[in-house]
Amino acid sequence: MSGGAKIAIVIGLAVVALGVIFYLGQPHHGSGPGQYKFAVGDPGLGAQAPGIKLASTQGGTFDLSTMKGKTVLLYFQEGLTCQPCWDQLKDVDSHLSEFQTLGVDQIVSVTTDPIDQIKQKTSDMGITSPVLSDPNLVVSQAYSANQYGMMGTSRDGHTFVVVGPDGKISWRADYGGAPDYTMYVPVPNLVADIRAGLNKQSA
């Protein structure tokens, strides 16, 4: 083999190796369940969902008890200090049909920020799902959603809770806890996790 051919082979292998290193260094998100670790806090599966009566960005007060007979996906998030959390809600908002295929009738987010500031944020981002203001953490503590974040217990983490038509919790995932402190889960992964959890409950 000529010296030129050997050099070409070495260069080719180096290019392949660099390509592999570059690929492995990029974020890759699978669409299956288990791609993002989560805890399951208390109240958990099968428990009666604590009541919710909070000011809503859609005006007036949102009362969870009025949703009896429907399936509600609650999303507790850190709030105005976490842009990825709002990107999460925007993406969920933009893919409502994917959640509807899971039987979800309504998506509701909860933060500890003042209602006026939340209204401005949802308006700026074109978010249509209701966002509730829980400044005293009454609801957040009832769901222990403020136990799974990077801001101590003063704000919520990244918790999703499915409340079934019977008012009981049928799925829950607390993504925001240590050590990963996940504040964004791609919609395909979130949908896959919910589907897997609900299927397991119905099996």
Side-chain angles (χ1 to χ4, degrees), residues 52-56 59-67 72 74 106 108 130 132:
I52 298 177
K53 287 186 179 181
L54 294 172
S56 169
T61 299
F62 174 86
D63 186 345
L64 182 62
S65 66
T66 64
M67 300 299 291
V72 180
L74 302 174
Q106 180 69 63
V108 180
L132 313 183

Side-chain angles (χ1 to χ4, degrees), residues 37-44 72-79 85 88-89 92 107-111 139-140 142-149 155-162 169 171-177 181-185 190 194:
K37 296 179 181 178
F38 60 82
V40 178
D42 183 43
V72 180
L73 175 61
L74 302 174
Y75 167 38
F76 292 87
Q77 51 136 321
E78 185 179 307
C85 301
Q88 175 84 83
L89 183 55
V92 168
I107 295 172
V108 180
S109 184
V110 180
T111 86
V139 171
S140 299
Y143 281 84
S144 67
N146 64 323
Q147 300 293 323
Y148 299 93
R155 286 182 174 271
D156 294 328
H158 208 77
T159 293
F160 288 90
V161 178
V162 174
I169 295 173
W171 180 80
R172 174 172 180 152
D174 298 278
Y175 292 99
Y181 297 109
T182 300
M183 292 295 149
Y184 179 86
V185 179
L190 178 59
I194 296 174

Side-chain angles (χ1 to χ4, degrees), residues 45-163:
L45 307 183
Q48 190 69 31
I52 298 177
K53 287 186 179 181
L54 294 172
S56 169
T57 52
Q58 293 189 341
T61 299
F62 174 86
D63 186 345
L64 182 62
S65 66
T66 64
M67 300 299 291
K68 191 172 183 179
K70 296 184 178 181
T71 297
V72 180
L73 175 61
L74 302 174
Y75 167 38
F76 292 87
Q77 51 136 321
E78 185 179 307
L80 296 175
T81 57
C82 175
Q83 184 56 42
C85 301
W86 292 98
D87 294 337
Q88 175 84 83
L89 183 55
K90 178 64 177 179
D91 285 353
V92 168
D93 210 41
S94 300
H95 295 84
L96 290 178
S97 62
E98 296 187 38
F99 294 91
Q100 290 169 346
T101 61
L102 300 175
V104 174
D105 298 297
Q106 180 69 63
I107 295 172
V108 180
S109 184
V110 180
T111 86
T112 58
D113 295 301
I115 189 64
D116 290 344
Q117 295 179 24
I118 299 173
K119 282 183 177 179
Q120 184 62 55
K121 185 67 173 180
T122 55
S123 175
D124 291 345
M125 294 189 66
I127 293 171
T128 58
S129 294
V131 182
L132 313 183
S133 175
D134 184 26
N136 297 318
L137 284 88
V138 174
V139 171
S140 299
Q141 290 174 350
Y143 281 84
S144 67
N146 64 323
Q147 300 293 323
Y148 299 93
M150 60 178 66
M151 304 298 288
T153 57
S154 63
R155 286 182 174 271
D156 294 328
H158 208 77
T159 293
F160 288 90
V161 178
V162 174
V163 179

